[in-house]
Amino acid sequence: MILSTTIGIALATACGKFLLKRFVGKAAKELDPAGTGTASVVADSIYEGVGGSLGEGVVTGLADFAKDRIKDAGAQREAERAFSRLGDQIVERLSADLHSQFAAVPRERWDKVLIWVNAALGGNITASFVVQNKVDSAKLYEALRVVSLNIPGPAPGEETELFEAALREASRHLAAAASKLPKFEEENARASLELLNALSRDIDQVLDDVRFIREQVDKAQGPGARDEFALDYRQAVVCELDRVELFGVDLPDELRRAKLTDAYVTLNLEDAPDEDESDDGAGTATISTETAFDTLLPETGRLLVRGGAGSGKTTLIKWAAINAARMALPDQERQQHLEYENEPDGPRIRPEEERAKLESDWRQRMPFIVFLRNCQHGKLPPPKMFPALVAQTLADPPVKWVETILKDGRGLVLLDGVDEIPHASRDDLRNAVESLVNAYPKSYFVLTTRPEAVDPGWLDDLAFREVQVVPMAESARNQFIQQWFEAVARGKNSPELREKAEELIRDLGSAPWLTPLVTNPLLCAMTCALYQARRGFLPNGLRQMCEVLCEMMLHRLDLERKIDMSKFRHPYPELQYEHKKAVMRQLAYHFVINEHSALPVPQAQQQVGIALSRMPDRNRSEADAVFDCILERSGMIREAISEDEKTKKPATIEFLHNTFKEFLAGEQIASERNAGMVLKNLDHEAWRRVGVFAFAAGDAMFQNELLTGVFQRLPEKLPKPHAGKRKSKPDDVDKKARELAVFALQCRGQATQCDEGVKERLNNIVVQLVPPQNLTDATWLAAAGNVVVPHLKYEKRLSNVQIACVRALKLIGTPEALRALEKYGADDRQSVLDELEGRVLLTSPKVTSLRVAYKRPISNLSFPSGLTNLTHLSLRDIQATDVSTLSILTKLTTLDLNGPQVTDVSVLSSLTKLTHIYLRTTRMSDASVLSGLTNLTNLYLEGTRVTDVSPLAGLTNLTTLDLEGTQAGLAHYEPVTAAAFTSISGLLWRNPDEYSAAGGVCGCARPAPRNEEQVA
């Protein structure tokens, strides 16, 4: 659809002015006379006047508005340009979206409709309405629609339908763009506008999402059956959740919030076995989060995810909600989707079985996310309230909307943080979950919790599958670091910061004491923040990491940015770091002793007052001012739920992360030397974490008193680790004993002033905790360092235990640990070999299948003679240049060689048993070296430098030839050369750019949807 120039300009002007009002926010509201009165109807509350002039140009209209709101002349011109561009972007997308939905409507009719839309949008909407309503698309649409009824417009009928569709789409685009606008600072307008420009990519992406989500919903339901509330809700979920905080970084708030979907690193989960484990090499299954979600099916779509503090549980839940809201198909299914849509004779009808499979995919479900920390006393709200928990500005859903979705089996209910509700309320929560599952058995349910919060099998009778988040492997850690620095580099517009990622990865190799910490996403992010802010600083442990970050966030960042503190309310400018930390310690202490995850603002202010009353020259009456400034400036606490405007229920606040809360509360307890309080509460997992921080902060008397109290509750000989069926729960006494022993081990890593008797007992406990039973245990055990290395030497064990031993040695990382690790090359189980990550030479002749990912630069591959029985070899992401040592692997039938440094693959000519070769992204250019491999059936050369494939014409057993992303194609050759390929019966030709030409030459079969074989 092509808009007339006049209408396009007018619409762009109206959209630009709307967003400029949102941008200037309170400053505009103060200057906006129409926003001061109380309106009796919606129209009065949002309009200064009715009707927009079609003759009003973009620059003129915005210039007049900007002139009254922005004082600096240069900033005025920049505002004109910025919001002109935004208005144009929205109109361009609006035009394309309406055309895709109503392609048959002629331009003349659209002109009539859009004049009416312009009249509604051009009515000078007040900043009061924009700011107060947070630009919710549904509310904006309804308000504009009510006003438009009083504006003369097209005749009723189809034009009215088109008008409502156009106005609804315009409202969605405006709401999406408004959600990404930065905060406007009147005294520094230029900086605010520069920030707006820095966010242009985010605004583009959120505008693209408007169309993407609408298209996905229409594909699933059909435009005629579109649920408009569902569309608005899905959009709101993405806008609200698709961000992750880059805390501890000197960036404006808006740039500290990276897109979660850009920064997300796939977590791996450990699947708890249901049967006695055998030593068959499989071990405990490790699967990706996406794989775990893909197993959700009607009647059995239930998952309980366990993970330690900072392991990424909440991020995982948000990631799942965003993908479900966007109805984003995985790559393979999207490819199959395109195959159906792009048939020459029109889309094919999906078989019933395939359609049912697609509908059961969790990404097609309606996500409802509940952060349990915000549920008072852990009490779940009724389902009809679920949408408002995320999309707080959205209007109420239609009657029975949520219930109908859940009953039809179309819901994905995500309950995050079982551990964040009081211990006494968890049984009530379990009963509420049981009621939900029984009422809506076909919908999917996913819960997260810290491991110790509930017993194994807590939801077994409801058919919940249990998985546990495992610590990040080295490759995932490195990916996380690279993506963190990428986000910061983009926010600061400093590409050179990307190099810091490689520097940190290198420096971590010489800091083995940090290796166990950076396997955790939260602590890895903390390390990145400190390394960036302190120019290469690496903390010596978790306590120092928390301390330095607290100082940065509470005090140092404002000093380094040279913030004028005099503009903040008294007495905040006079407070030093220790004063602010004392306030936060008192607040954290109150959270912990009362088992709060969120706290109403008045109660938080009361705790601030208590802390201030203990300081000379300070008093309780200053609590409100200090609290407001800490909330605004530090980023360590944040608003969890906004104030309810209807009921006047106060807003609640929460800590940025529980790790900060536990660190500060522990420091407060240590300052009071209250070891008894810790000992009294050690049965609760949250208190054990607080206890470790308290121990680290305590003096000699406190440390010895706390550990002596622990030892008095421990038997001399610890119970052996539980083995066998997961459902056979260990004895409570044994379970508590091991939990206390692990607590003592964690304290050992922080001990500085222990008596000899205490040290001896600690070392005795360490040796009783080996070998570790899982990757989480391995992480804690590694904190003990070299003392455990002799007990981790290689011997035959169950695979899951062997994997944990390998992980522990890798995390310890000392020369002694690495020497012990070398002996594990004798193992022949694939799960153990995967964990070794190519770090040691392999020696077992039983190994026939091997996957290796070399993450470090190496010049060649070394395969000892003991591996000559290999038949399947996968070398992913290798950085080797010389692969000639592959020549000894004469039994190979499948080779996956993926490495951008590889140029010479002539060694493959001697491996005549090969049937499958994958050479993606290598730099090979000569295909003739493969011409003698007559057993080849599948050859993948995508992304290589091959230009001539004629030497392959004699490979008559070929069934698949993939040349995607190369310059090769049969159309490039003489017909006589290309004709040679016609002798290859049923060859599947994969090169979309050349398919039609090649097909015309030699009649190769049409490419089938991809279903790549899994190597090894």
Side-chain angles (χ1 to χ4, degrees):
M1 178 179 68
I2 302 175
L3 295 178
S4 69
T5 303
T6 305
I7 293 175
I9 291 176
L11 280 173
T13 301
C15 292
K17 286 176 71 174
F18 178 94
L19 293 172
L20 181 53
K21 287 188 178 184
R22 171 61 174 161
F23 177 60
V24 297
K26 292 180 180 178
K29 187 176 176 182
E30 292 166 2
L31 292 166
D32 199 338
T36 58
T38 303
S40 57
V41 293
V42 176
D44 293 333
S45 68
I46 69 169
Y47 275 95
E48 296 171 355
V50 173
S53 169
L54 285 179
E56 185 178 48
V58 175
V59 176
T60 304
L62 286 170
D64 288 344
F65 186 84
K67 195 172 182 181
D68 293 334
R69 275 72 178 181
I70 301 173
K71 298 173 183 177
D72 181 78
Q76 289 172 19
R77 290 191 293 273
E78 181 57 34
E80 294 164 24
R81 290 191 291 268
F83 285 93
S84 290
R85 287 193 298 268
L86 267 178
D88 290 340
Q89 283 178 264
I90 289 175
V91 171
E92 181 182 347
R93 284 173 166 81
L94 179 63
S95 175
D97 288 359
L98 292 175
H99 178 69
S100 67
Q101 297 176 68
F102 305 96
V105 177
R107 173 176 151 177
E108 293 74 20
R109 288 178 61 190
W110 274 121
D111 283 349
K112 295 179 183 178
V113 168
L114 292 174
I115 288 174
W116 200 11
V117 172
N118 178 70
L121 285 175
N124 297 325
I125 302 167
T126 67
S128 173
F129 174 83
V130 173
V131 174
Q132 289 175 353
N133 290 279
K134 298 185 180 178
V135 201
D136 169 63
S137 63
K139 289 181 180 177
L140 178 60
Y141 165 74
E142 290 297 337
L144 293 172
R145 185 170 170 273
V146 169
V147 171
S148 68
L149 297 179
N150 298 319
I151 303 173
E158 190 172 350
E159 273 75 10
T160 303
E161 179 187 343
L162 293 176
F163 164 73
E164 291 179 347
L167 191 61
R168 197 182 292 274
E169 288 298 323
S171 298
R172 289 187 177 121
H173 283 83
L174 286 169
S179 71
K180 296 298 179 183
L181 294 179
K183 181 181 177 182
F184 176 73
E185 294 185 5
E186 197 173 0
E187 65 276 10
N188 199 359
R190 280 182 178 274
S192 298
L193 288 163
E194 288 173 4
L195 182 53
L196 174 65
N197 290 331
L199 289 167
S200 60
R201 176 173 170 265
D202 290 348
I203 294 173
D204 281 342
Q205 288 180 340
V206 79
L207 288 173
D208 288 341
D209 262 347
V210 173
R211 181 175 187 178
F212 180 83
I213 293 172
R214 195 247 318 142
E215 288 177 341
Q216 295 301 105
V217 170
D218 285 352
K219 285 176 183 177
Q221 301 174 346
R226 185 192 298 167
D227 180 343
E228 298 291 356
F229 182 85
L231 198 53
D232 288 330
Y233 174 69
R234 287 181 182 277
Q235 184 68 47
V237 169
V238 174
C239 282
E240 288 292 324
L241 299 182
D242 196 7
R243 58 177 181 261
V244 63
E245 191 83 12
L246 296 170
F247 54 83
V249 182
D250 181 14
L251 282 172
D253 290 347
E254 295 83 1
L255 293 179
R256 282 210 305 267
R257 300 186 187 108
K259 278 178 67 68
L260 184 148
T261 44
D262 287 346
Y264 184 71
V265 173
T266 299
L267 299 173
N268 283 331
L269 306 173
E270 197 172 61
D271 196 5
D274 287 328
E275 301 296 333
D276 289 323
E277 186 180 10
S278 62
D279 195 20
D280 59 1
T284 302
T286 300
I287 56 176
S288 69
T289 49
E290 193 160 7
T291 300
F293 274 80
D294 285 344
T295 62
L296 299 175
L297 295 170
E299 308 289 354
T300 59
R302 296 154 204 169
L303 194 66
L304 176 62
V305 180
R306 297 174 181 268
S311 62
K313 301 182 298 297
T314 298
T315 304
L316 184 158
I317 286 292
K318 290 181 177 180
W319 167 85
I322 292 164
N323 277 277
R326 298 182 79 243
M327 304 179 76
L329 291 171
D331 291 340
Q332 184 176 341
E333 289 187 23
R334 186 181 297 112
Q335 177 69 27
Q336 293 175 356
H337 213 54
L338 292 174
E339 292 291 337
Y340 281 96
E341 293 176 356
N342 296 335
E343 280 290 322
D345 299 326
R348 281 185 280 173
I349 303 297
R350 269 188 189 277
E352 185 66 33
E353 182 180 346
E354 284 193 33
R355 204 160 58 243
K357 180 184 176 183
L358 184 63
E359 290 171 356
S360 69
D361 192 301
W362 61 273
R363 300 169 194 82
Q364 303 298 299
R365 299 296 175 108
M366 187 67 72
F368 300 111
I369 184 168
V370 181
F371 298 109
L372 294 173
R373 60 180 173 270
N374 296 330
C375 298
Q376 192 170 13
H377 306 303
K379 185 177 180 181
L380 279 181
K384 67 180 181 181
M385 298 296 296
F386 285 177
L389 299 178
V390 173
Q392 296 178 16
T393 63
L394 209 58
D396 292 336
V399 177
K400 299 292 184 183
W401 184 80
V402 177
E403 292 85 344
T404 301
I405 287 174
L406 294 175
K407 190 167 290 185
D408 290 347
R410 294 183 286 121
L412 172 65
V413 181
L414 304 160
L415 308 179
D416 179 54
V418 172
D419 55 284
E420 296 198 63
I421 65 171
H423 193 274
S425 301
R426 291 175 192 170
D427 285 342
D428 292 338
L429 173 66
R430 191 208 172 282
N431 294 336
V433 171
E434 182 175 11
S435 297
L436 274 177
V437 169
N438 290 336
Y440 311 113
K442 293 183 179 179
S443 282
Y444 296 168
F445 296 86
V446 180
L447 280 75
T448 68
T449 182
R450 291 192 182 180
E452 309 88 351
V454 293
D455 289 332
W458 189 57
L459 297 173
D460 272 359
D461 59 335
L462 299 177
F464 272 77
R465 176 186 181 185
E466 287 196 14
V467 292
Q468 179 155 323
V469 179
V470 300
M472 290 191 296
E474 182 181 331
S475 56
R477 180 206 71 185
N478 293 349
Q479 181 189 353
F480 183 100
I481 292 170
Q482 288 163 347
Q483 291 182 183
W484 191 95
F485 276 97
E486 172 66 30
V488 175
R490 187 168 68 85
K492 286 181 170 287
N493 194 26
S494 301
E496 65 276 6
L497 278 175
R498 296 183 177 93
E499 299 173 5
K500 288 288 184 184
E502 298 306 320
E503 293 176 14
L504 173 56
I505 291 169
R506 182 199 64 217
D507 289 353
L508 284 173
S510 57
W513 64 89
L514 270 182
T515 309
L517 294 182
V518 292
T519 61
N520 173 295
L522 172 73
L523 302 183
C524 192
M526 286 181 166
T527 304
C528 291
L530 292 177
Y531 193 85
Q532 188 271 327
R534 293 289 173 266
R535 297 175 177 81
F537 169 79
L538 288 175
N540 60 22
L542 179 56
R543 179 169 178 259
Q544 188 188 38
M545 183 185 292
C546 290
E547 172 62 32
V548 176
L549 270 173
C550 276
E551 185 185 12
M552 276 175 56
M553 298 172 76
L554 287 172
H555 197 66
R556 187 180 290 271
L557 280 180
D558 278 345
L559 292 180
E560 292 179 351
R561 292 169 67 186
K562 295 181 169 55
I563 299 295
D564 180 8
M565 302 304 292
S566 65
K567 67 181 181 180
F568 297 109
R569 294 170 62 189
H570 176 81
Y572 187 74
E574 299 175 10
L575 298 182
Q576 298 303 309
Y577 167 61
E578 289 302 330
H579 299 131
K580 297 172 188 175
K581 185 181 177 184
V583 168
M584 296 303 293
R585 283 188 352 193
Q586 176 62 35
L587 190 58
Y589 178 75
H590 182 79
F591 266 80
V592 167
I593 64 173
N594 292 286
E595 293 190 78
H596 289 317
S597 293
L599 193 66
V601 166
Q603 293 183 35
Q605 291 169 333
Q606 184 179 16
Q607 295 306 312
V608 172
I610 291 172
L612 291 173
S613 69
R614 298 170 180 157
M615 302 176 192
D617 304 322
R618 299 274 75 87
N619 58 73
R620 292 175 187 258
S621 66
E622 299 166 333
D624 289 6
V626 172
F627 172 81
D628 289 346
C629 290
I630 287 179
L631 179 62
E632 177 187 347
R633 302 302 308 164
S634 74
M636 189 166 290
I637 54 174
R638 61 189 176 190
E639 188 177 88
I641 299 178
S642 302
E643 180 182 359
D644 190 315
E645 294 180 3
K646 295 179 182 178
T647 64
K648 299 304 179 185
K649 185 177 180 180
T652 61
I653 57 112
E654 63 187 2
F655 274 82
L656 173 65
H657 197 276
N658 284 340
T659 301
F660 290 116
K661 178 177 71 179
E662 291 154 3
F663 163 71
L664 290 162
E667 294 240 326
Q668 182 68 17
I669 290 168
S671 71
E672 298 175 0
R673 289 186 176 177
N674 199 344
M677 175 174 285
V678 177
L679 290 168
K680 183 176 68 174
N681 290 285
L682 279 180
D683 286 344
H684 300 308
E685 78 288 343
W687 271 96
R688 290 195 289 275
R689 293 188 298 274
V690 172
V692 172
F693 281 118
F695 179 88
D699 57 16
M701 181 182 298
F702 182 85
Q703 290 191 352
N704 285 291
E705 181 184 352
L706 183 55
L707 282 178
T708 300
V710 171
F711 297 152
Q712 289 172 353
R713 298 167 62 176
L714 279 176
E716 281 291 331
K717 189 170 184 180
L718 294 177
K720 290 292 183 183
H722 171 62
K725 293 185 179 181
R726 176 175 60 85
K727 293 180 181 178
S728 304
K729 292 190 289 189
D731 179 84
D732 279 347
V733 175
D734 288 354
K735 178 173 177 285
K736 289 180 179 178
R738 288 194 67 81
E739 287 172 351
L740 284 176
V742 169
F743 172 75
L745 176 64
Q746 291 171 290
C747 289
R748 184 188 185 280
Q750 307 293 328
T752 56
Q753 307 176 72
C754 290
D755 296 339
E756 281 300 320
V758 171
K759 285 171 56 179
E760 183 180 346
R761 186 71 191 274
L762 274 176
N763 290 335
N764 179 261
I765 286 174
V766 169
V767 298
Q768 292 188 63
L769 287 173
V770 290
Q773 301 302 296
N774 54 53
L775 296 180
T776 303
D777 287 353
T779 302
W780 291 119
L781 192 64
N786 272 342
V787 71
V788 299
V789 170
H791 305 281
L792 295 174
K793 64 183 181 181
Y794 178 74
E795 60 183 66
K796 275 290 185 181
R797 304 180 180 96
L798 291 176
S799 358
N800 65 311
V801 177
Q802 200 79 315
I803 291 167
C805 290
V806 170
R807 177 66 65 89
L809 288 168
K810 284 162 52 181
L811 292 176
I812 293 170
T814 59
E816 295 84 354
L818 296 180
R819 282 196 294 272
L821 190 65
E822 290 176 2
K823 302 296 183 182
Y824 284 78
D827 210 298
D828 57 14
R829 291 167 292 187
Q830 185 63 56
S831 56
V832 179
L833 302 183
D834 286 347
E835 183 61 35
L836 284 169
E837 294 185 308
R839 285 171 176 258
V840 302
L841 295 180
L842 307 180
T843 58
S844 173
K846 293 182 180 179
V847 177
T848 60
S849 177
L850 178 64
R851 294 186 298 266
V852 177
Y854 282 94
K855 303 298 180 183
R856 299 173 301 283
I858 53 176
S859 59
N860 57 59
L861 302 175
S862 300
F863 287 93
S865 57
L867 289 186
T868 53
N869 289 320
L870 277 180
T871 59
H872 292 70
L873 175 63
S874 176
L875 300 171
R876 288 296 182 99
D877 302 319
I878 65 168
Q879 299 183 39
T881 54
D882 181 4
V883 294
S884 60
T885 51
L886 295 178
S887 60
I888 65 171
L889 306 180
T890 56
K891 295 182 181 180
L892 272 186
T893 60
T894 298
L895 174 65
D896 184 352
L897 180 59
N898 179 335
Q901 307 302 320
V902 177
T903 56
D904 181 5
V905 295
S906 58
V907 65
L908 303 187
S909 62
S910 63
L911 307 181
T912 56
K913 292 187 178 181
L914 282 168
T915 60
H916 291 67
I917 298 181
Y918 304 77
L919 295 173
R920 299 184 183 93
T921 73
T922 62
R923 295 184 179 182
M924 71 161 290
S925 57
D926 183 9
S928 66
V929 298
L930 308 176
S931 61
L933 302 180
T934 55
N935 288 317
L936 273 183
T937 60
N938 295 66
L939 179 58
Y940 295 82
L941 300 175
E942 59 182 301
T944 64
R945 298 183 177 182
V946 170
T947 58
D948 182 2
V949 293
S950 57
L952 306 179
L955 303 181
T956 56
N957 287 317
L958 268 186
T959 59
T960 299
L961 177 58
D962 192 337
L963 298 172
E964 186 174 344
T966 71
Q967 297 300 309
L970 296 185
H972 292 190
Y973 307 107
E974 296 295 327
V976 64
T977 304
F981 282 83
T982 60
S983 62
I984 305 178
S985 176
L987 174 64
L988 295 183
W989 180 265
R990 287 180 178 156
N991 185 355
D993 296 335
E994 303 295 340
Y995 165 69
S996 58
V1001 174
C1002 67
C1004 294
R1006 185 181 191 280
R1010 281 200 185 173
N1011 186 14
E1012 296 176 3
E1013 296 184 37
Q1014 296 298 314
V1015 180

